[in-house]
PDB file of all heavy atoms in Angstrom:
ATOM      1  N   ALA A 908     -51.902  51.545  41.212  1.00 60.00           N
ATOM      2  CA  ALA A 908     -52.508  50.522  40.349  1.00 60.00           C
ATOM      3  C   ALA A 908     -52.011  49.113  40.609  1.00 60.00           C
ATOM      4  O   ALA A 908     -52.376  48.194  39.881  1.00 60.00           O
ATOM      5  CB  ALA A 908     -52.257  50.878  38.874  1.00 60.00           C
ATOM      6  N   HIS A 909     -51.173  48.887  41.600  1.00 57.00           N
ATOM      7  CA  HIS A 909     -50.676  47.535  41.866  1.00 57.00           C
ATOM      8  C   HIS A 909     -51.742  46.719  42.596  1.00 57.00           C
ATOM      9  O   HIS A 909     -52.433  47.264  43.446  1.00 57.00           O
ATOM     10  CB  HIS A 909     -49.408  47.623  42.715  1.00 57.00           C
ATOM     11  CG  HIS A 909     -48.636  46.342  42.770  1.00 57.00           C
ATOM     12  ND1 HIS A 909     -48.822  45.408  43.751  1.00 57.00           N
ATOM     13  CD2 HIS A 909     -47.681  45.845  41.953  1.00 57.00           C
ATOM     14  CE1 HIS A 909     -48.019  44.394  43.553  1.00 57.00           C
ATOM     15  NE2 HIS A 909     -47.306  44.626  42.463  1.00 57.00           N
ATOM     16  N   PRO A 910     -51.955  45.430  42.312  1.00 57.00           N
ATOM     17  CA  PRO A 910     -51.215  44.613  41.356  1.00 57.00           C
ATOM     18  C   PRO A 910     -51.652  44.874  39.921  1.00 57.00           C
ATOM     19  O   PRO A 910     -52.811  45.182  39.674  1.00 57.00           O
ATOM     20  CB  PRO A 910     -51.577  43.180  41.774  1.00 57.00           C
ATOM     21  CG  PRO A 910     -52.943  43.322  42.376  1.00 57.00           C
ATOM     22  CD  PRO A 910     -52.962  44.660  43.061  1.00 57.00           C
ATOM     23  N   TYR A 911     -50.710  44.745  38.997  1.00 57.00           N
ATOM     24  CA  TYR A 911     -50.990  45.002  37.590  1.00 57.00           C
ATOM     25  C   TYR A 911     -51.659  43.777  36.967  1.00 57.00           C
ATOM     26  O   TYR A 911     -51.365  42.649  37.320  1.00 57.00           O
ATOM     27  CB  TYR A 911     -49.690  45.323  36.842  1.00 57.00           C
ATOM     28  CG  TYR A 911     -48.790  46.272  37.581  1.00 57.00           C
ATOM     29  CD1 TYR A 911     -47.475  45.924  37.867  1.00 57.00           C
ATOM     30  CD2 TYR A 911     -49.254  47.512  38.010  1.00 57.00           C
ATOM     31  CE1 TYR A 911     -46.640  46.788  38.555  1.00 57.00           C
ATOM     32  CE2 TYR A 911     -48.430  48.385  38.693  1.00 57.00           C
ATOM     33  CZ  TYR A 911     -47.121  48.018  38.972  1.00 57.00           C
ATOM     34  OH  TYR A 911     -46.307  48.872  39.658  1.00 57.00           O
ATOM     35  N   SER A 912     -52.564  44.005  36.051  1.00 63.00           N
ATOM     36  CA  SER A 912     -53.272  42.908  35.402  1.00 63.00           C
ATOM     37  C   SER A 912     -53.483  43.231  33.935  1.00 63.00           C
ATOM     38  O   SER A 912     -53.788  44.366  33.579  1.00 63.00           O
ATOM     39  CB  SER A 912     -54.639  42.675  36.072  1.00 63.00           C
ATOM     40  OG  SER A 912     -55.387  41.721  35.354  1.00 63.00           O
ATOM     41  N   ALA A 913     -53.305  42.208  33.094  1.00 70.00           N
ATOM     42  CA  ALA A 913     -53.540  42.380  31.668  1.00 70.00           C
ATOM     43  C   ALA A 913     -55.000  42.153  31.303  1.00 70.00           C
ATOM     44  O   ALA A 913     -55.393  42.414  30.169  1.00 70.00           O
ATOM     45  CB  ALA A 913     -52.647  41.414  30.878  1.00 70.00           C
ATOM     46  N   TRP A 914     -55.813  41.678  32.264  1.00 83.00           N
ATOM     47  CA  TRP A 914     -57.191  41.299  31.937  1.00 83.00           C
ATOM     48  C   TRP A 914     -58.225  41.975  32.818  1.00 83.00           C
ATOM     49  O   TRP A 914     -59.274  42.386  32.330  1.00 83.00           O
ATOM     50  CB  TRP A 914     -57.348  39.769  32.043  1.00 83.00           C
ATOM     51  CG  TRP A 914     -56.395  39.031  31.186  1.00 83.00           C
ATOM     52  CD1 TRP A 914     -55.228  38.431  31.563  1.00 83.00           C
ATOM     53  CD2 TRP A 914     -56.490  38.830  29.766  1.00 83.00           C
ATOM     54  NE1 TRP A 914     -54.598  37.869  30.483  1.00 83.00           N
ATOM     55  CE2 TRP A 914     -55.355  38.102  29.365  1.00 83.00           C
ATOM     56  CE3 TRP A 914     -57.428  39.204  28.803  1.00 83.00           C
ATOM     57  CZ2 TRP A 914     -55.125  37.739  28.041  1.00 83.00           C
ATOM     58  CZ3 TRP A 914     -57.213  38.836  27.483  1.00 83.00           C
ATOM     59  CH2 TRP A 914     -56.077  38.112  27.117  1.00 83.00           C
ATOM     60  N   ALA A 915     -57.966  42.085  34.099  1.00 80.00           N
ATOM     61  CA  ALA A 915     -58.967  42.601  35.037  1.00 80.00           C
ATOM     62  C   ALA A 915     -58.820  44.104  35.232  1.00 80.00           C
ATOM     63  O   ALA A 915     -57.709  44.625  35.337  1.00 80.00           O
ATOM     64  CB  ALA A 915     -58.851  41.890  36.373  1.00 80.00           C
ATOM     65  N   SER A 916     -59.952  44.794  35.295  1.00 78.00           N
ATOM     66  CA  SER A 916     -59.962  46.204  35.671  1.00 78.00           C
ATOM     67  C   SER A 916     -59.739  46.283  37.189  1.00 78.00           C
ATOM     68  O   SER A 916     -59.757  45.258  37.885  1.00 78.00           O
ATOM     69  CB  SER A 916     -61.311  46.822  35.313  1.00 78.00           C
ATOM     70  OG  SER A 916     -62.330  46.310  36.155  1.00 78.00           O
ATOM     71  N   PRO A 917     -59.527  47.468  37.751  1.00 76.00           N
ATOM     72  CA  PRO A 917     -59.398  47.558  39.206  1.00 76.00           C
ATOM     73  C   PRO A 917     -60.577  46.949  39.956  1.00 76.00           C
ATOM     74  O   PRO A 917     -60.390  46.284  40.982  1.00 76.00           O
ATOM     75  CB  PRO A 917     -59.288  49.070  39.446  1.00 76.00           C
ATOM     76  CG  PRO A 917     -58.640  49.594  38.197  1.00 76.00           C
ATOM     77  CD  PRO A 917     -59.213  48.757  37.094  1.00 76.00           C
ATOM     78  N   ALA A 918     -61.806  47.158  39.433  1.00 78.00           N
ATOM     79  CA  ALA A 918     -62.976  46.557  40.080  1.00 78.00           C
ATOM     80  C   ALA A 918     -62.908  45.035  40.007  1.00 78.00           C
ATOM     81  O   ALA A 918     -63.244  44.325  40.958  1.00 78.00           O
ATOM     82  CB  ALA A 918     -64.255  47.062  39.429  1.00 78.00           C
ATOM     83  N   GLY A 919     -62.470  44.515  38.858  1.00 82.00           N
ATOM     84  CA  GLY A 919     -62.322  43.073  38.717  1.00 82.00           C
ATOM     85  C   GLY A 919     -61.265  42.516  39.642  1.00 82.00           C
ATOM     86  O   GLY A 919     -61.428  41.432  40.208  1.00 82.00           O
ATOM     87  N   GLN A 920     -60.165  43.252  39.832  1.00 80.00           N
ATOM     88  CA  GLN A 920     -59.118  42.808  40.740  1.00 80.00           C
ATOM     89  C   GLN A 920     -59.616  42.757  42.179  1.00 80.00           C
ATOM     90  O   GLN A 920     -59.239  41.863  42.947  1.00 80.00           O
ATOM     91  CB  GLN A 920     -57.914  43.739  40.626  1.00 80.00           C
ATOM     92  CG  GLN A 920     -57.193  43.637  39.284  1.00 80.00           C
ATOM     93  CD  GLN A 920     -55.973  44.533  39.235  1.00 80.00           C
ATOM     94  OE1 GLN A 920     -55.106  44.480  40.082  1.00 80.00           O
ATOM     95  NE2 GLN A 920     -55.917  45.384  38.229  1.00 80.00           N
ATOM     96  N   ARG A 921     -60.459  43.719  42.541  1.00 79.00           N
ATOM     97  CA  ARG A 921     -60.994  43.707  43.912  1.00 79.00           C
ATOM     98  C   ARG A 921     -61.883  42.487  44.139  1.00 79.00           C
ATOM     99  O   ARG A 921     -61.830  41.854  45.205  1.00 79.00           O
ATOM    100  CB  ARG A 921     -61.768  45.001  44.183  1.00 79.00           C
ATOM    101  CG  ARG A 921     -60.877  46.215  44.375  1.00 79.00           C
ATOM    102  CD  ARG A 921     -61.658  47.370  44.955  1.00 79.00           C
ATOM    103  NE  ARG A 921     -62.645  47.885  44.018  1.00 79.00           N
ATOM    104  CZ  ARG A 921     -62.390  48.814  43.113  1.00 79.00           C
ATOM    105  NH1 ARG A 921     -61.174  49.342  43.016  1.00 79.00           N
ATOM    106  NH2 ARG A 921     -63.339  49.252  42.298  1.00 79.00           N
ATOM    107  N   LEU A 922     -62.694  42.146  43.133  1.00 83.00           N
ATOM    108  CA  LEU A 922     -63.538  40.961  43.274  1.00 83.00           C
ATOM    109  C   LEU A 922     -62.692  39.695  43.334  1.00 83.00           C
ATOM    110  O   LEU A 922     -63.011  38.758  44.075  1.00 83.00           O
ATOM    111  CB  LEU A 922     -64.521  40.878  42.108  1.00 83.00           C
ATOM    112  CG  LEU A 922     -65.713  41.837  42.151  1.00 83.00           C
ATOM    113  CD1 LEU A 922     -66.577  41.667  40.924  1.00 83.00           C
ATOM    114  CD2 LEU A 922     -66.540  41.600  43.406  1.00 83.00           C
ATOM    115  N   LEU A 923     -61.602  39.658  42.559  1.00 83.00           N
ATOM    116  CA  LEU A 923     -60.701  38.512  42.621  1.00 83.00           C
ATOM    117  C   LEU A 923     -60.078  38.385  44.007  1.00 83.00           C
ATOM    118  O   LEU A 923     -59.899  37.280  44.525  1.00 83.00           O
ATOM    119  CB  LEU A 923     -59.603  38.650  41.563  1.00 83.00           C
ATOM    120  CG  LEU A 923     -59.979  38.283  40.122  1.00 83.00           C
ATOM    121  CD1 LEU A 923     -58.821  38.603  39.191  1.00 83.00           C
ATOM    122  CD2 LEU A 923     -60.371  36.827  40.016  1.00 83.00           C
ATOM    123  N   GLY A 924     -59.747  39.530  44.602  1.00 77.00           N
ATOM    124  CA  GLY A 924     -59.199  39.500  45.955  1.00 77.00           C
ATOM    125  C   GLY A 924     -60.179  38.936  46.952  1.00 77.00           C
ATOM    126  O   GLY A 924     -59.813  38.141  47.842  1.00 77.00           O
ATOM    127  N   THR A 925     -61.454  39.294  46.802  1.00 77.00           N
ATOM    128  CA  THR A 925     -62.489  38.745  47.682  1.00 77.00           C
ATOM    129  C   THR A 925     -62.625  37.240  47.493  1.00 77.00           C
ATOM    130  O   THR A 925     -62.743  36.484  48.466  1.00 77.00           O
ATOM    131  CB  THR A 925     -63.834  39.428  47.396  1.00 77.00           C
ATOM    132  OG1 THR A 925     -63.703  40.839  47.584  1.00 77.00           O
ATOM    133  CG2 THR A 925     -64.920  38.892  48.309  1.00 77.00           C
ATOM    134  N   LEU A 926     -62.589  36.802  46.231  1.00 75.00           N
ATOM    135  CA  LEU A 926     -62.687  35.372  45.940  1.00 75.00           C
ATOM    136  C   LEU A 926     -61.494  34.619  46.518  1.00 75.00           C
ATOM    137  O   LEU A 926     -61.642  33.534  47.079  1.00 75.00           O
ATOM    138  CB  LEU A 926     -62.764  35.149  44.429  1.00 75.00           C
ATOM    139  CG  LEU A 926     -62.838  33.693  43.954  1.00 75.00           C
ATOM    140  CD1 LEU A 926     -64.118  33.047  44.428  1.00 75.00           C
ATOM    141  CD2 LEU A 926     -62.734  33.625  42.435  1.00 75.00           C
ATOM    142  N   THR A 927     -60.300  35.190  46.401  1.00 68.00           N
ATOM    143  CA  THR A 927     -59.096  34.539  46.919  1.00 68.00           C
ATOM    144  C   THR A 927     -59.168  34.364  48.426  1.00 68.00           C
ATOM    145  O   THR A 927     -58.811  33.311  48.962  1.00 68.00           O
ATOM    146  CB  THR A 927     -57.855  35.365  46.547  1.00 68.00           C
ATOM    147  OG1 THR A 927     -57.787  35.498  45.120  1.00 68.00           O
ATOM    148  CG2 THR A 927     -56.589  34.681  47.048  1.00 68.00           C
ATOM    149  N   ARG A 928     -59.650  35.386  49.128  1.00 68.00           N
ATOM    150  CA  ARG A 928     -59.769  35.265  50.583  1.00 68.00           C
ATOM    151  C   ARG A 928     -60.775  34.189  50.958  1.00 68.00           C
ATOM    152  O   ARG A 928     -60.588  33.451  51.932  1.00 68.00           O
ATOM    153  CB  ARG A 928     -60.176  36.613  51.179  1.00 68.00           C
ATOM    154  CG  ARG A 928     -59.058  37.642  51.148  1.00 68.00           C
ATOM    155  CD  ARG A 928     -59.420  38.855  51.978  1.00 68.00           C
ATOM    156  NE  ARG A 928     -60.558  39.578  51.425  1.00 68.00           N
ATOM    157  CZ  ARG A 928     -60.444  40.537  50.520  1.00 68.00           C
ATOM    158  NH1 ARG A 928     -59.249  40.889  50.058  1.00 68.00           N
ATOM    159  NH2 ARG A 928     -61.517  41.170  50.066  1.00 68.00           N
ATOM    160  N   HIS A 929     -61.857  34.073  50.171  1.00 62.00           N
ATOM    161  CA  HIS A 929     -62.858  33.038  50.442  1.00 62.00           C
ATOM    162  C   HIS A 929     -62.268  31.650  50.207  1.00 62.00           C
ATOM    163  O   HIS A 929     -62.548  30.709  50.959  1.00 62.00           O
ATOM    164  CB  HIS A 929     -64.073  33.248  49.543  1.00 62.00           C
ATOM    165  CG  HIS A 929     -65.134  32.201  49.718  1.00 62.00           C
ATOM    166  ND1 HIS A 929     -65.917  32.101  50.844  1.00 62.00           N
ATOM    167  CD2 HIS A 929     -65.526  31.181  48.897  1.00 62.00           C
ATOM    168  CE1 HIS A 929     -66.755  31.091  50.721  1.00 62.00           C
ATOM    169  NE2 HIS A 929     -66.537  30.506  49.551  1.00 62.00           N
ATOM    170  N   VAL A 930     -61.443  31.517  49.161  1.00 61.00           N
ATOM    171  CA  VAL A 930     -60.823  30.230  48.855  1.00 61.00           C
ATOM    172  C   VAL A 930     -59.937  29.778  50.005  1.00 61.00           C
ATOM    173  O   VAL A 930     -59.873  28.595  50.343  1.00 61.00           O
ATOM    174  CB  VAL A 930     -60.004  30.337  47.548  1.00 61.00           C
ATOM    175  CG1 VAL A 930     -59.090  29.135  47.386  1.00 61.00           C
ATOM    176  CG2 VAL A 930     -60.944  30.450  46.357  1.00 61.00           C
ATOM    177  N   GLU A 931     -59.242  30.725  50.624  1.00 57.00           N
ATOM    178  CA  GLU A 931     -58.343  30.385  51.720  1.00 57.00           C
ATOM    179  C   GLU A 931     -59.100  29.910  52.952  1.00 57.00           C
ATOM    180  O   GLU A 931     -58.549  29.210  53.798  1.00 57.00           O
ATOM    181  CB  GLU A 931     -57.481  31.597  52.071  1.00 57.00           C
ATOM    182  CG  GLU A 931     -56.518  31.992  50.950  1.00 57.00           C
ATOM    183  CD  GLU A 931     -55.790  33.279  51.250  1.00 57.00           C
ATOM    184  OE1 GLU A 931     -56.179  33.955  52.232  1.00 57.00           O
ATOM    185  OE2 GLU A 931     -54.852  33.627  50.508  1.00 57.00           O
ATOM    186  N   GLU A 932     -60.378  30.273  53.052  1.00 53.00           N
ATOM    187  CA  GLU A 932     -61.165  29.913  54.227  1.00 53.00           C
ATOM    188  C   GLU A 932     -61.938  28.614  54.037  1.00 53.00           C
ATOM    189  O   GLU A 932     -62.335  27.983  55.018  1.00 53.00           O
ATOM    190  CB  GLU A 932     -62.155  31.048  54.546  1.00 53.00           C
ATOM    191  CG  GLU A 932     -61.464  32.370  54.911  1.00 53.00           C
ATOM    192  CD  GLU A 932     -62.455  33.509  55.008  1.00 53.00           C
ATOM    193  OE1 GLU A 932     -63.649  33.264  54.755  1.00 53.00           O
ATOM    194  OE2 GLU A 932     -62.044  34.640  55.331  1.00 53.00           O
ATOM    195  N   VAL A 933     -62.197  28.236  52.793  1.00 54.00           N
ATOM    196  CA  VAL A 933     -63.025  27.056  52.507  1.00 54.00           C
ATOM    197  C   VAL A 933     -62.164  26.019  51.797  1.00 54.00           C
ATOM    198  O   VAL A 933     -61.338  26.347  50.962  1.00 54.00           O
ATOM    199  CB  VAL A 933     -64.237  27.445  51.629  1.00 54.00           C
ATOM    200  CG1 VAL A 933     -65.111  26.226  51.372  1.00 54.00           C
ATOM    201  CG2 VAL A 933     -65.041  28.548  52.304  1.00 54.00           C
ATOM    202  N   GLY A 934     -62.395  24.749  52.096  1.00 58.00           N
ATOM    203  CA  GLY A 934     -61.566  23.710  51.503  1.00 58.00           C
ATOM    204  C   GLY A 934     -62.322  22.724  50.641  1.00 58.00           C
ATOM    205  O   GLY A 934     -61.889  21.585  50.505  1.00 58.00           O
TER     206      GLY A 934
END
């Protein structure tokens, strides 16, 4: 279950991970 989150479900965490990778590519 890592990373642990008080708000996002596992599906929500996966979408956040996708968004984070996109942020790193676009400025």
Side-chain angles (χ1 to χ4, degrees):
H909 194 268
Y911 316 124
S912 173
W914 304 100
S916 70
Q920 292 182 54
R921 286 193 292 273
L922 284 179
L923 281 175
T925 302
L926 179 64
T927 302
R928 288 191 295 272
H929 178 70
V930 166
E931 294 173 350
E932 297 171 358
V933 182

